[in-house]
Amino acid sequence: MNKKALNTLEYFKIIEKLTDFAGSKHGKELCQNLLPSNDLDLIINLQQQTTDAQIRILKKGSAHFNGIHDIRPSVMRLKVESPLNTKELLQISSNLDATLRIKAYGGYSGLDISPEQTGDSLTNIFADLEPLSDLNNEIKRCIIAEEELADDSSPELKRIRRSIKNANDKIQNEISKIMSSSQAKNILQENIVTMRNGRYCLPVKSEYKNHFQGMVHDQSSTGSTFFIEPLSVVKLNNEIKELSMKEKEEIEIILKDLSYMSAQYLYEIENNFTLLSDLDFIFARATLSITMKGTEPKFNNKGYINIKKARHPLIDKNKVVPIDITIGRDYTMLIITGPNTGGKTVSLKTVGLLTVMGQSGLHIPAFDDSELAIFKEVYADIGDEQSIEQSLSTFSSHMTNIVTILEKADHESLVLFDELGAGTDPTEGAALAISILSYLKNRNIRTLATTHYSELKVYALSTPGIINASCEFDIETLRPTYRLLIGIPGKSNAFAISSKLGLPDFIIKEANKYIGQQEKSFEDLLSELEVNRIQIENEKEEISRYRLEIEQLNKSLEKKSTSIELQRERILNEAKEDARKLLTDAKDYADESIRKYNKWLQTGQNIKDMEDERTSLREKLETHSNRLNRKSNKLNKKVSPDTLKVGDSVHVNTLGLDGIVGSLPNPKGDLQVQMGILNSMVNIKDISLSNNKNNAEPDNPKPDRSIIKQSKAMSISTEINLIGKTVDEALPDLDKYLDDAYLSRLSMVRVIHGRGTGALKAAIHKHLRRIKYIKGYHLAEYNEGGDGVTIVEFK
């Protein structure tokens, strides 16, 4: 793709931003050399890699590619079996450290049995990295710094350095003796030891040089001091010299061994460097995408562009106004009109720049599902092309560029014209512009052009395959909104802007006289279209707002409905659980009572214990009954005054009775309820709708016998105690008890009257003979109370 268009579209400024995100030198080189491609498969692969790296960054944080060195020269030396120096080996070690770190970031760690299976386009790249831990550890063990090897690099090196140390210690001792002697003060210029030619020397005064035994190695610039090696340490210095040579030889051997070991992994070392650089390049693209809130576009080979909410990446993202641009499906040419500084050129550059960015594998700052076409070339004639050096005017320079574009452009090109035909006579310029656009349209070349010429607006309106677009301008504020409106031609608004800026009205009216009627009609039509567009947009916004409110209400209703359903299920489950617990408790208690009775019958237990057990059982049953009634009352639905009607069946919660509504609630909520023979005023808060839909008439209630029997059976005792009562007191109580026992379907009961004088027993027996539902009676056995108790059997 031609560099001129890339420069015009400021593509290389994007590349500068991209390069800043790379961590390694070679990664930066890959960024700097990035150019658009027209290979669809390659573009899709690059885009997928950028997306996958972006996802990894958002999940795990940034990957760090520092410490990666260009080891390609070292690799070339290893190929020719040339040993490496310490710096080169340390660079290989640094690359292996980065390899281990990046491989772990990719989900591959040395401790894992199997790698993390992400299944993205980067998985295989991470998997191919080889940290070569054995080689890396050996280099680190031997080399401490660029100029220093460890003593433990080899046994021989350790021995040599120990010998050097011992020789140095001996020299220090000898020199210390000389310096501490009585003659040293006079002979030595200073009480210090210096090194000359790698040998230990003492600074001797010139007048004593012949009195000091040793070898002269140097003298001061003034000649007053001679640097003499004492004769007693010459041999030791010679020994150190020899040992130093052996140390150097041993170091060369160690470096040669490390180089040989590295050469065994030549492919892995070189491949690691390539993969790390590629990953650095990929993650730089992903980081750029995150900073500019980019997305992966779709691509096609059909010349179709559909960019949603596109933002120019070089404009502050807090100030740039997103635009929607579509071209290539229903129309192949877009003519953008509008006032100066309204955003026409920015719209043009945005389309071109996002196209070349996408074809370079970079994400574009636009909404998801934006689509770009693959173009072999992008041509742009944008900006002031005046050339002083070539003595070309602005028009001539533009036309020279346009001629080149017309020669080279084809149906696989994207052409961008800014102010086509400007810089010359408007009539001729408009005619030339129409002719150029017709030529490009006939060749099916995707073209975007900006203009101020009304002739081009009319041309777009009258020509199939070409459509107008405009950059919106707010007349009231004299400011552009930078919104691109496709399908609507724009106005230059020269008169309106001039009037707002204070140009006298009479001058504007005079100017109107010089505009033809056709031009006036056309501008009036544009104004009417603009007013209608604004009205339609306002209505659309209002409809969208209503739709959003409806959706929110629906969601709120669904949420409440779900909550009510969950609450209902919870209450039912709690009720079922309570019932189950009550039944279980009742069964267990009944079983225990039966076991006790059986035991008492066998052992002749005291009658008082049996009475206490019966009383306890009766109390427990009453307690459970009350709990069930309370639960039932809680589950009853509250009654609304609007839904209540005279004659409805209700349950009075405070009295525990069912009844019929006799009147509607008054303002205080009080109403008449007929409960059998009882007519009472109750509050609506104390009633609930009854499930019994067939209540009898209030003045003639017909209670359900099964309900009465169940109620009696829950509380009736199997015996009555009449001891201490007179005959007149006992017989009514006995009558009521026997009626209740008979209704409860008890087969027999015990009547406790005691022995006493026998009068009460005789009266009871006489009374029992007159009752029709009594099958028979007899005195109890001795162990059941004897003649103090009468057993009564029912029919």
Side-chain angles (χ1 to χ4, degrees):
M1 196 166 289
N2 68 91
K3 294 286 183 70
K4 180 178 176 60
L6 296 180
N7 276 317
T8 301
L9 297 173
E10 299 177 291
Y11 170 78
F12 293 109
K13 289 185 179 180
I14 300 297
I15 294 301
E16 289 177 9
K17 288 177 171 287
L18 175 65
T19 304
D20 290 339
F21 292 119
S24 65
K25 181 180 178 182
H26 190 53
K28 291 181 181 294
E29 290 177 0
L30 292 175
C31 293
Q32 291 168 349
N33 296 330
L34 179 62
L35 291 173
S37 169
N38 54 26
D39 184 337
L40 181 59
D41 293 334
L42 175 61
I43 293 170
I44 291 175
N45 183 53
L46 291 173
Q47 287 286 348
Q48 187 60 54
Q49 287 179 341
T50 306
T51 299
D52 292 338
Q54 182 186 45
I55 292 171
R56 287 177 181 262
I57 291 174
L58 294 175
K59 284 184 176 180
K60 301 181 180 181
S62 300
H64 300 289
F65 291 89
N66 53 306
I68 300 174
H69 302 276
D70 189 352
I71 45 83
R72 287 176 293 183
S74 301
V75 170
M76 294 300 296
R77 290 183 60 181
L78 289 176
K79 287 181 179 179
V80 297
E81 299 182 358
S82 175
L84 304 180
N85 56 38
T86 55
K87 180 179 179 181
E88 291 173 310
L89 288 168
L90 285 175
Q91 288 180 346
I92 290 176
S93 175
S94 178
N95 280 14
L96 294 178
D97 285 340
T99 301
L100 180 63
R101 183 177 66 251
I102 297 302
K103 191 178 182 75
Y105 174 87
Y108 293 80
S109 109
L111 300 176
D112 292 341
I113 296 174
S114 61
E116 174 190 343
Q117 296 299 319
T118 59
D120 62 22
S121 61
L122 306 180
T123 300
N124 291 335
I125 301 178
F126 284 112
D128 289 342
L129 290 172
E130 293 292 343
L132 304 176
S133 298
D134 291 342
L135 173 61
N136 192 14
N137 292 336
E138 183 64 15
I139 294 174
K140 289 180 177 179
R141 186 185 71 82
C142 296
I143 304 175
I144 299 175
E146 283 189 20
E147 303 297 331
E148 183 180 2
L149 264 67
D151 293 347
D152 293 329
S153 297
S154 73
E156 179 63 16
L157 181 63
K158 188 172 184 179
R159 186 193 64 78
I160 292 171
R161 287 183 173 175
R162 188 183 299 114
S163 298
I164 292 174
K165 183 179 181 302
N166 292 336
N168 279 325
D169 290 342
K170 290 178 182 179
I171 292 174
Q172 291 292 341
N173 290 335
E174 284 295 327
I175 291 177
S176 295
K177 289 178 183 179
I178 295 171
M179 293 175 67
S180 61
S181 66
S182 58
Q183 299 176 351
K185 284 186 179 181
N186 298 325
I187 296 175
L188 298 179
Q189 191 78 12
E190 293 181 84
N191 202 27
I192 61 172
V193 180
T194 63
M195 295 290 292
R196 289 295 185 271
N197 301 321
R199 303 178 80 88
Y200 291 96
C201 298
L202 293 173
V204 179
K205 295 178 181 179
S206 57
E207 59 267 28
Y208 290 103
K209 71 170 184 175
N210 294 325
H211 296 86
F212 189 86
Q213 293 183 342
M215 296 178 61
V216 177
H217 285 279
D218 199 3
Q219 68 177 348
S220 64
S221 57
T222 60
S224 60
T225 304
F226 284 82
F227 297 96
I228 301 174
E229 179 184 5
L231 188 62
S232 59
V233 299
V234 170
K235 184 178 180 181
L236 291 172
N237 270 329
N238 289 338
E239 184 180 342
I240 290 175
K241 196 74 172 177
E242 292 174 5
L243 289 170
S244 296
M245 294 173 62
K246 289 181 179 180
E247 180 188 24
K248 185 177 180 181
E249 291 173 359
E250 183 61 23
I251 289 173
E252 289 178 354
I253 292 171
I254 293 170
L255 293 178
K256 187 175 181 181
D257 290 343
L258 290 173
S259 299
Y260 176 78
M261 186 177 181
S262 301
Q264 305 307 306
Y265 301 101
L266 202 58
Y267 170 77
E268 288 83 357
I269 292 172
E270 190 171 15
N271 191 51
N272 282 343
F273 171 72
T274 301
L275 295 178
L276 289 174
S277 300
D278 289 343
L279 286 171
D280 188 14
F281 177 38
I282 293 169
F283 276 82
R285 302 202 305 263
T287 306
L288 176 66
S289 173
I290 292 172
T291 57
M292 66 182 185
K293 297 180 180 180
T295 61
E296 178 185 351
K298 298 177 181 178
F299 289 91
N300 65 78
N301 280 322
K302 300 177 181 178
Y304 173 59
I305 296 175
N306 180 23
I307 308 176
K308 303 174 183 178
K309 303 300 178 187
R311 293 169 278 109
H312 196 288
L314 296 177
I315 300 177
D316 187 345
K317 59 186 177 184
N318 296 319
K319 297 180 180 179
V320 65
V321 177
I323 59 173
D324 296 320
I325 295 184
T326 303
I327 188 173
R329 181 165 290 176
D330 299 324
Y331 47 89
T332 60
M333 190 170 290
L334 191 66
I335 296 178
I336 305 173
T337 53
N340 288 326
T341 70
K344 300 190 303 298
T345 304
V346 171
S347 299
L348 210 63
K349 283 188 172 183
T350 300
V351 176
L353 182 55
L354 266 56
T355 295
V356 295
M357 284 177 63
Q359 290 185 216
S360 301
L362 301 176
H363 284 178
I364 62 172
F367 271 19
D368 289 332
D369 294 327
S370 293
E371 191 167 357
L372 296 174
I374 302 295
F375 294 106
K376 288 186 176 179
E377 280 290 353
V378 175
Y379 297 100
D381 180 55
I382 300 174
D384 188 358
E385 298 288 339
Q386 185 173 5
S387 175
I388 298 176
E389 293 179 357
Q390 299 180 19
S391 300
L392 295 175
S393 66
T394 300
F395 175 77
S396 300
S397 182
H398 275 293
M399 193 51 61
T400 301
N401 197 20
I402 290 171
V403 169
T404 303
I405 292 172
L406 295 179
E407 288 175 353
K408 296 182 178 181
D410 58 20
H411 67 284
E412 293 182 314
S413 302
L414 174 66
V415 178
L416 308 172
F417 290 127
D418 186 28
E419 301 294 351
L420 181 63
T424 187
D425 177 75
T427 303
E428 293 181 356
L432 276 173
I434 292 172
S435 179
I436 291 168
L437 294 176
S438 297
Y439 173 78
L440 294 172
K441 178 187 176 299
N442 293 335
R443 298 183 62 193
N444 198 31
I445 297 174
R446 272 57 178 169
T447 306
L448 284 83
T450 67
T451 184
H452 284 287
Y453 295 145
S454 296
E455 292 88 344
L456 267 66
K457 303 175 192 178
V458 176
Y459 171 69
L461 287 171
S462 60
T463 307
I466 305 178
I467 194 168
N468 275 304
S470 61
C471 289
E472 190 180 48
F473 190 86
D474 190 339
I475 299 297
E476 297 299 322
T477 62
L478 295 182
R479 291 180 179 274
T481 65
Y482 303 106
R483 292 178 58 202
L484 184 66
L485 308 173
I486 293 180
I488 301 173
K491 293 180 62 180
S492 295
N493 296 304
F495 289 174
I497 293 172
S498 300
S499 177
K500 284 285 183 180
L501 293 175
L503 191 68
D505 291 341
F506 69 89
I507 294 181
I508 295 175
K509 288 180 181 179
E510 183 69 19
N512 265 307
K513 296 178 181 178
Y514 299 105
I515 298 178
Q517 186 60 39
Q518 184 176 357
E519 285 80 5
K520 286 183 181 179
S521 299
F522 183 71
E523 290 298 318
D524 291 342
L525 175 61
L526 293 183
S527 298
E528 185 178 348
L529 286 173
E530 180 66 10
V531 171
N532 292 336
R533 179 192 65 79
I534 293 173
Q535 183 179 353
I536 291 171
E537 285 194 354
N538 291 336
E539 290 175 355
K540 284 176 65 179
E541 287 180 3
E542 189 173 1
I543 292 171
S544 299
R545 188 169 61 253
Y546 288 151
R547 184 183 291 115
L548 181 61
E549 289 178 2
I550 292 170
E551 290 176 356
Q552 290 174 344
L553 288 173
N554 283 336
K555 289 179 180 178
S556 177
L557 183 61
E558 289 176 4
K559 187 176 180 181
K560 287 181 179 178
S561 176
T562 303
S563 176
I564 292 170
E565 184 64 26
L566 291 174
Q567 188 175 3
R568 175 180 172 275
E569 290 182 5
R570 179 180 60 78
I571 293 173
L572 289 174
N573 290 335
E574 288 178 357
K576 290 178 181 177
E577 182 63 19
D578 286 347
R580 185 189 67 77
K581 289 180 179 178
L582 287 173
L583 288 173
T584 302
D585 190 22
K587 180 179 178 300
D588 292 343
Y589 201 88
D591 291 343
E592 180 63 22
S593 297
I594 291 171
R595 283 195 295 271
K596 289 179 179 179
Y597 278 116
N598 289 335
K599 180 179 179 182
W600 290 333
L601 289 173
Q602 293 173 4
T603 61
Q605 188 73 19
N606 190 329
I607 200 71
K608 185 178 182 302
D609 293 338
M610 298 176 70
E611 288 299 320
D612 292 340
E613 180 65 23
R614 288 191 184 97
T615 302
S616 176
L617 179 61
R618 189 159 53 248
E619 290 174 352
K620 194 167 188 68
L621 289 172
E622 288 176 357
T623 301
H624 288 334
S625 178
N626 291 336
R627 285 180 60 191
L628 287 173
N629 287 336
R630 286 196 299 270
K631 282 284 182 182
S632 176
N633 291 339
K634 287 181 181 177
L635 292 173
N636 285 334
K637 296 179 180 177
K638 295 295 181 183
V639 180
S640 171
D642 299 332
T643 60
L644 195 65
K645 301 187 294 295
V646 174
D648 283 351
S649 299
V650 295
H651 180 80
V652 182
N653 300 327
T654 53
L655 299 176
L657 297 174
D658 290 335
I660 302 295
V661 175
S663 67
L664 293 178
N666 61 23
K668 294 182 179 180
D670 297 330
L671 68 154
Q672 292 284 343
V673 178
Q674 185 73 40
M675 296 164 284
I677 62 172
L678 176 65
N679 192 320
S680 179
M681 181 73 73
V682 297
N683 193 276
I684 193 170
K685 295 179 181 178
D686 298 328
I687 67 172
S688 57
L689 292 175
S690 174
N691 293 327
N692 186 7
K693 301 296 183 183
N694 299 314
N695 276 352
E697 294 298 322
D699 55 349
N700 186 27
K702 294 182 180 180
D704 191 335
R705 284 187 176 276
S706 63
I707 295 174
I708 294 174
K709 289 175 182 178
Q710 290 171 6
S711 177
K712 294 290 184 183
M714 290 290 289
S715 59
I716 193 69
S717 175
T718 58
E719 64 181 26
I720 183 171
N721 191 343
L722 302 174
I723 295 175
K725 295 183 179 182
T726 64
V727 173
D728 292 335
E729 292 172 345
L731 291 180
D733 290 345
L734 178 62
D735 270 338
K736 183 179 183 307
Y737 171 73
L738 292 175
D739 288 341
D740 290 342
Y742 178 68
L743 288 173
S744 299
R745 295 185 182 276
L746 296 179
S747 59
M748 73 168 80
V749 294
R750 290 158 44 87
V751 179
I752 303 171
H753 42 67
R755 294 182 178 88
T757 61
L760 182 58
K761 177 177 69 172
I764 288 172
H765 286 184
K766 183 179 179 180
H767 184 70
L768 289 174
R769 285 194 292 272
R770 291 198 297 268
I771 300 176
K772 294 181 179 180
Y773 55 79
I774 300 297
K775 182 178 179 181
Y777 61 92
H778 58 82
L779 293 174
E781 296 295 331
Y782 177 78
N783 61 353
E784 294 179 345
D787 56 1
V789 176
T790 297
I791 305 297
V792 180
E793 296 179 0
F794 296 103
K795 290 181 179 179

